[in-house]
Structure formats: C-alpha cells, structure tokens
Amino acid sequence: MQNTATPTHCPYCALQCGMNLTPTPDGTVEVSERADFPVNRGALCGKGRTAPAVLASNVRLTSPLVRSGGELVPASWDEALDRIAAGLRRTRAEHGPDAVGVFGGGGLTNEKAYTLGKFARVVLGTSQIDYNGRFCMSSAAAAGIKAFGLDRGLPFPLEDIPKTGCVILVGSNLAETMPPSLRFFNELRENGGTLIVIDPRRTKTAEQADLHLTPRPGTDLALALGLLHLVIAEGRVDAEYVQERTVGWEDARAAAMAHWPEYVERITGVSVPQLRETVRLFCEPESAMVLTARGPEQQSKGTDTVGAWINLCLATGRAGRPLSGYGCLTGQGNGQGGREHGQKADQLPGYRKLDDPAARRHVAEVWGVDPESLPGPGRSAYELLDALGTDITSLLLMASNPVVSAPRAAHIEERIRSLDFLAVCDVVLSETAALADVVLPVTQWAEETGTTTNLEGRVLLRRRAITPPEGIRSDLEVLHELAARLGVEKGFPTDPEEVFEELRRASAGGPADYSGITYRRLVEEDGVFWPCPGAAEAVERPAAGDTTATAHPGTPRLFLDRFATPDGRARFVAVSHRAVAEEPDDEYPVLLTTGRVVAQYQSGAQTRRVAELNAAAPGPFVELHPRLAARLGAAEGDPVAVVSRRGRAVAPARITNAIRPDTVFMPFHWPGEGRANTLTNPALDPTSRMPEFKACAVRLEAVRG
C-alpha cells in the first residue's frame, strides 16, 4: 500500500474543502489539513473530518442486493444488472420510454451527472429525468438567468467577500451548513465591513452579524421590495449605472414603490428603522454584495424573491463591478455542476436548453445520434416523484434519498412503494434504497476520480486515494453495463477522464463552457473557473511548464464588462409581494420552517452512520419560542407533535428565545416519526418548480404519556 497523501476534496457541501487523504492499514483513509487550498485554507468541519467513517465495510453496502420473497438479499453483479435491464426493458416495451424515470443527485461528479443524462436520453429514450438539486438552487438559477443571462452560484471567488463593504446574507446559516466559510465573513468585519443577516431565527450565523433582521418566514420578497423602495425614496439609485448597464428599470421601480416601509413592516415584522438602517449600511460603502441561500429560494415564489434581491443590487450599481454583486450559496457538493451537464429535465450539457434546436444538434453530434431522437423536456423533480406508480412505473435512482428529503414525504414514499420496479445505486442502504427491487453498491469519493464544481464555479478534481473493496463498482461502470445490456455497446466509457474529454466537447460554446479545462490543468492550477473556452476561443496564457501554450485562464469574476444577455445589459424584473401558498389560519396557526444542523448533512443517509456526528446531533427536535411552549404546556425535551395538512411529526421540544413566537423550526435530516418533510408543502414556484420547504401552516399538540 502506498502511504503517501493524496490531495483531494470533501464529499459533502459546495465549498468542496481541500483535504489530504492518507491510506491506513485497515483500508480506509486519514484526513489531514490542506492549507494551500484557498476555499478552506485547511479548515474542516466535523463532517469533513469524519467522512472516512462511511468507508468502513460495516457501514456501507458491500454487495448488490435483489428483492426475493419480500426481502433484499445479496446477489451477484450479473444477476443484479440483468434484473435492472430486464425491468427497464419491460417497462419501455409495455408503456413506452417515458414510463421509465431517472432521478439523480447533486452529489454526483460532473462525469457521472453527464453520463446519467446521456444514458436517460440515448439508451432509455426517456424525457423523465431530474435530480434533487431542483430542491436546492433552482430558484436562484432561474432568477440569475432572467437577470444576467447566466447562472453560476457566485460570480466571484469567496476571497472577494472580506474586501467588500457590506454583505446582506439572506436565509443562510452558513456557520452550521458550511462552517469553514464563516472565516471570510469574520474577516469582512475585521476589515471594517458590515454583515447583515436575515433569518427568522437567531442562528449561530446571525450571532456574528452587525444587524440581524427576523422576518416572518415567506416574506423575504416583501422585505427586498421595501428596501428598494427606500433606496429610491432616499435618492440612492445609481442612475448612471442603471442607464448604461440595465433594462427594465421603470417597471421594477413602479413595483417597488408600491411597497412602502410601513406596509412592509406589517407583512414582515421588520421595523421601519431596521429597514432604513439596512439601506444605509448597504449603500454607503463603495462595494456591497447580496448572498442568498435556501431561505428565500425554497418558496413557491422563490424566483421572484431572488429577483427582487437582484433588483436591489442593480439599482445601487452593485452587480458586475469589482467586489460587488449578487450570489447564491449553492448547497450540495456538486449542485452547481450537477445542473450544468444534463441531469435537469430541461437541459443538455454545457447548460444548454433541451428545446434549443442548435443545442440539440451540437450535443447529438458529440453523442453520435440523430437530434430528432433526443426526447424533449420532462417533469421537474417533485412532479416526477409525484407521477411514480401512475405515468412512471419504473425508476432508476442515483445518489438521492427522497423518502426523507422530498416535500410531502409520506406521499412520495407511497408513490415509490407503488412502482413496478425500482433500482437504486448508493453507498449505503438509505431509506429509499430499502424499498428497491435492486440495490447496487457504488464507490465513494475517496475511491474514485472525478470533477466537481464548487459554489464559486471553480471546477475541481477529486482524486482517488484508495482502492474500493471487492464487489464495489463505480456509477460509470454501472451505466456502461446497463447500456450494453440494453443494446448500446459504445459511448459509455468507464474511465472518468475519458468521460470528461467528451463532456468538454459537449459543453463547448455553451453557457457553462468547460472545453478549455483538462485534468492536467485541474491538478496544476488547483481548479479552473468556468466559463473556460477551448483553444479556438482561447487567449494567450502560459501553462505550467509550457511557455508556448495558449489556454483561456478561466473566469473567476463574471460580468465585469458585460452581462451574458444578447445586448450585454442586466434585466430588472418587476415583481410584487404575494403570500406563502399556505398561510396560517385558526386550524393551523403557526408557521413551520426547516433547515439543517452542523453535524448532519442533507437526508442524513451517510452522516447518521457516523458515531461522532450522531453524538453531536442524535435526532430531530422542534425549536419553539417560550411563549408558544407555555401555551402548549410543553417543557424542554417534552415530545411535541407538529401537524400540517399533509401529516404529523413528533420530536422533543427545544425552547429558545432565538426564534419568532409565530414560528417553529425542525431540521430535516431524519426519517421516521420525526421526519420534518412529512409536513412540508410541495407548492411549486411557477418558474423554477421549487417546492415551498421554508413555510407551511402547522399546529402544535402536546404528546401526553
């Protein structure tokens, strides 16, 4: 065994923190600091430090499983793959290709996400493919495309944050969701800048803020409009910038002027003096940023909400300028890359639109197929899951656990149970995998090479540090074997670098152009920012060790010269406040909002198997204000039932002044009785198709005995 350290990246959130992995005698790896990587500079959270625990054979899947007599039992790879191929073939023959669904994940590498999208469209011929990233960044993506013509989480590197004058952080508890990033915001304040946090809870992140606003859940749109109203009323609009670099201002201005401060105070609960102070702190420095996360985005009006925050940046000249701009704090490890290369229902590689004839021709040529053979756009994630067992009777699922993570989760679990056939590829036996007809054990981040794209748009190379155990295969090998069994012998290589070379060609000329990026460059340069066109569009740049080479340098900072719209101007979008899809009433008088805790990640399928993390966060809870607890007669730790129109969840009370009296909070990492997503509302944003995870009406009940 070679005991040298391999530089790579964490398997969890979109920071993709750098780390070194060193093999150990027991076949796993030790994690150590990698101080040279600029995103985390050696810092790691508990999840990253303990990530190797999931590599252990007593934690993970080690053999294919097939259902026999109602139970999942070990099987050979040939038997498992044959069963999957037969199930998918049978469904296509009996009901047509769109009766087969494919559901992916934001944790898949770019190579695997690309291949999964190609497999769905070329081998299966189905339009029914989407992924769990739809539940994370889709509203911000839709708003960014409307305003700027392009969606990339952050249009600037994280290193710019400490150098700006003010950051408004909307609906993000990054101290718990991506702790190493907090240092950039602490440095901002040390440098004299201001941090404003907007969150209905006083989170660990809010405790670091210079100003903390606590709006009622679901009112972020009204809040942004109220701030823009004050910018206009106080004469703080950058008229020259608006004239030269934007269009649509007059309509957006008129919409904002209908949201006067006192009206916004009544809607949000944020006082007029706090609104005025926010505008002052944001507008007085030369530069400022607005960063959003799931709080404003996971709403049935999330696209409009993000659009309103973008309008605030545009009106004040805070976009497409150094140390200023709007950005989205992407959540999942490859949530950015996962939506760029073909997992989404409406997209082709390179962030091309599936209904664009030129895009279809380009990608079809790379794939060696007729453009007319490619199916059109399919259902979005929740709509796909909701159609299981009716229009969609077989499902191939990779790297996702919708039994825990989907809204209205009890209903989605029923839909999954009603399938004729379910195949799951995963590292562990998740709650969703436990319902499958076939489960395939696949490699993890330390056992495979592949690229991811972090929240800055920095494409990174995760490198294989150890050999996977006997009996484990990669997702690329799975798709290669299934394609062959379904009659497509070529076009599905198992070598990730070979897949990436094809991805480069498929993305060339698209909005997310990776054609100038190679594995060699990723190693030598420790990541490259897209867009990075290939040689035909390249500028002169010496590559490492080659003074004659030409290569595009990548694009760390977007929009400094022009926006990615046909005329180069950003678009204001006129939006107006509207209520959440399900307002409280006499029967359900309280608002529920959901989120994460520092020791668990997403559906918890992996982190709930790590002893250290479980000790820190052993189970779900209901966070409620003392006044609400007193009315209920609940003490700290008492079981409390939270009931919505979709179901009932029970968890211990956590009583705190850090939350609004009209709101309760539950983390969503756990299945069973405390499953928060049993309660959440699948009302969808009309543009992004994002469900409204962040606000629904509930009532509380004391659980006696």
Side-chain angles (χ1 to χ4, degrees):
M1 180 184 297
Q2 190 177 15
N3 289 320
T4 56
T6 299
T8 189
H9 298 275
C10 179
Y12 292 118
C13 84
L15 286 179
Q16 288 296 279
C17 291
M19 57 171 59
N20 289 314
L21 299 182
T22 304
T24 63
D26 65 2
T28 62
V29 289
E30 287 183 348
V31 172
S32 59
E33 291 184 359
R34 186 178 157 201
D36 62 329
F37 187 60
V39 171
N40 62 309
R41 306 177 201 162
L44 294 169
C45 73
K47 295 186 291 292
R49 286 188 296 98
T50 61
V54 188
L55 296 166
S57 58
N58 63 338
V59 172
R60 67 184 304 165
L61 293 167
T62 56
S63 168
L65 303 174
V66 300
R67 193 162 295 279
S68 177
E71 301 292 329
L72 286 171
V73 298
S76 69
W77 271 95
D78 280 342
E79 179 185 357
L81 290 165
D82 287 347
R83 282 206 189 190
I84 296 174
L88 300 179
R89 187 184 299 112
R90 183 172 57 250
T91 297
R92 293 177 74 236
E94 293 177 358
H95 305 292
D98 275 357
V100 178
V102 177
F103 200 85
L108 294 176
T109 62
N110 290 316
E111 293 80 358
K112 293 191 285 189
Y114 170 85
T115 304
L116 185 62
K118 181 180 178 182
F119 179 85
R121 294 176 174 111
V122 172
V123 178
L124 298 176
T126 182
S127 66
Q128 301 303 303
I129 174 172
D130 212 83
Y131 85 127
N132 62 15
R134 177 78 66 172
F135 297 158
C136 293
M137 295 76 58
S138 58
S139 292
I145 291 169
K146 281 185 177 183
F148 307 131
L150 185 71
D151 155 48
R152 194 180 86 185
L154 294 181
F156 41 72
L158 284 163
E159 66 188 38
D160 284 2
I161 290 172
K163 304 170 189 174
T164 193
C166 177
V167 172
I168 299 180
L169 190 60
V170 191
S172 172
N173 183 15
L174 53 82
E176 298 203 59
T177 58
M178 44 183 68
S181 70
L182 191 62
R183 65 172 54 192
F184 294 102
F185 298 87
N186 291 337
E187 290 173 13
L188 163 74
R189 299 183 68 211
E190 290 167 3
N191 292 340
T194 302
L195 176 61
I196 301 170
V197 171
I198 298 172
D199 198 304
R201 303 167 59 225
R202 186 165 182 79
T203 63
K204 291 180 180 178
T205 306
E207 290 173 356
Q208 309 300 314
D210 297 283
L211 179 62
H212 175 208
L213 309 183
T214 59
R216 185 172 177 266
T219 63
D220 308 272
L221 174 53
L223 180 60
L225 287 163
L227 295 175
L228 182 53
H229 178 110
L230 285 171
V231 165
I232 298 165
E234 294 177 5
R236 297 180 185 270
V237 174
D238 187 334
E240 182 179 353
Y241 174 95
V242 169
Q243 175 69 27
E244 293 179 355
R245 298 204 60 188
T246 73
V247 297
W249 167 237
E250 288 305 321
D251 288 343
R253 181 187 185 281
M257 292 309 290
H259 297 77
W260 59 95
E262 292 77 12
Y263 172 57
V264 170
E265 180 181 76
R266 290 198 300 273
I267 294 170
T268 65
V270 177
S271 70
V272 172
Q274 285 185 311
L275 296 173
R276 294 188 184 279
E277 179 67 357
T278 300
V279 168
R280 183 186 72 80
L281 293 172
F282 184 69
C283 291
E284 285 188 352
E286 289 187 10
S287 58
M289 301 172 178
V290 173
L291 305 178
T292 68
R294 307 301 80 76
E297 298 163 17
Q298 288 182 325
Q299 298 183 27
S300 60
K301 53 183 182 297
T303 302
D304 284 357
T305 300
V306 173
W309 289 105
I310 292 174
N311 285 351
L312 181 67
C313 292
L314 295 176
T316 53
R318 307 303 175 89
R321 283 179 168 173
L323 306 181
S324 289
Y326 163 78
C328 161
L329 297 171
T330 302
Q332 294 192 76
N334 197 33
Q336 181 70 53
R339 67 182 183 265
E340 295 168 1
H341 298 301
Q343 276 192 104
K344 281 184 74 177
D346 58 349
Q347 286 181 344
L348 288 169
Y351 224 146
R352 288 180 159 92
K353 299 297 289 182
L354 188 53
D355 56 4
D356 176 359
R360 293 169 68 87
R361 285 194 300 272
H362 174 87
V363 174
E365 182 177 357
V366 173
W367 288 352
V369 300
D370 183 346
E372 296 300 316
S373 71
L374 298 178
R379 293 175 172 88
S380 71
Y382 180 80
E383 291 164 305
L384 189 158
L385 295 171
D386 190 40
L388 299 180
T390 54
D391 295 341
I392 300 171
T393 59
S394 290
L395 181 69
L396 173 63
L397 183 144
M398 284 186 168
S400 188
N401 189 18
V403 165
V404 178
S405 63
R408 198 185 174 195
H411 169 73
I412 296 305
E413 181 177 345
E414 289 176 2
R415 303 312 324 140
I416 290 171
R417 290 180 181 276
S418 72
L419 284 165
D420 292 343
F421 183 78
L422 171 64
V424 173
C425 299
D426 211 331
V427 172
V428 297
L429 191 67
S430 70
E431 287 73 21
T432 305
L435 304 179
D437 297 283
V438 181
V439 183
L440 300 181
V442 291
T443 50
Q444 300 189 53
W445 101 110
E447 302 162 344
E448 60 185 12
T449 293
T451 61
T452 62
T453 306
N454 82 343
L455 77 172
E456 308 164 295
R458 189 193 304 250
V459 184
L460 303 164
L461 185 65
R462 283 190 195 159
R463 281 171 269 192
R464 175 168 161 161
I466 58 173
T467 302
E470 186 85 19
I472 307 295
R473 298 188 186 181
S474 74
D475 294 287
L476 293 179
E477 291 173 309
V478 168
L479 293 171
H480 171 84
E481 292 287 344
L482 289 176
R485 282 166 167 79
L486 292 168
V488 181
E489 298 286 345
K490 296 181 179 180
F492 290 87
T494 60
D495 175 45
E497 188 168 8
E498 186 177 347
V499 175
F500 190 78
E501 288 301 305
E502 183 178 301
L503 183 157
R504 292 176 62 204
R505 297 195 302 275
S507 73
D513 190 336
Y514 283 30
S515 60
I517 304 173
T518 64
Y519 272 28
R520 178 183 172 184
R521 283 193 67 181
L522 295 179
V523 171
E524 293 174 345
E525 300 173 37
D526 222 352
V528 178
F529 291 85
W530 72 261
C532 183
E537 302 87 7
V539 297
E540 195 75 21
R541 178 187 182 279
D546 183 359
T547 57
T548 64
T550 59
H552 191 283
T555 315
R557 295 168 182 86
L558 296 170
F559 312 138
L560 295 181
D561 299 317
R562 57 180 284 124
F563 295 98
T565 56
D567 60 5
R569 294 169 176 259
R571 269 68 173 144
F572 282 97
V573 179
V575 294
S576 296
H577 169 71
R578 59 184 186 274
V580 297
E582 189 177 75
E583 285 283 352
D585 55 23
D586 291 342
E587 188 176 2
Y588 300 97
V590 177
L591 279 169
L592 167 71
T593 193
T594 63
R596 283 171 46 188
V597 297
V598 66
Q600 301 290 352
Y601 180 72
Q602 303 298 80
S603 75
Q606 295 186 42
T607 52
R608 284 187 275 112
R609 289 167 165 81
V610 179
E612 180 180 328
L613 300 179
N614 278 337
F621 56 86
V622 181
E623 187 176 278
L624 66 162
H625 191 274
R627 294 211 299 266
L628 196 53
R631 290 203 298 272
L632 188 64
E636 180 76 15
D638 284 353
V640 171
V642 185
V643 184
S644 79
R645 290 177 173 86
R646 289 154 295 282
R648 183 176 190 266
V650 178
R654 183 173 293 183
I655 301 172
T656 174
N657 285 304
I659 192 167
R660 291 173 55 98
D662 57 3
T663 301
V664 295
F665 167 83
M666 290 186 72
F668 60 79
H669 309 290
W670 289 273
E673 187 179 50
R675 181 173 59 185
N677 277 319
T678 296
L679 308 167
T680 48
N681 190 356
L684 300 179
D685 180 289
T687 302
S688 68
R689 316 309 287 168
M690 167 73 83
E692 191 151 62
F693 287 98
K694 288 303 181 191
C696 71
V698 298
R699 68 170 181 267
L700 304 184
E701 298 173 352
V703 179
R704 307 302 179 192

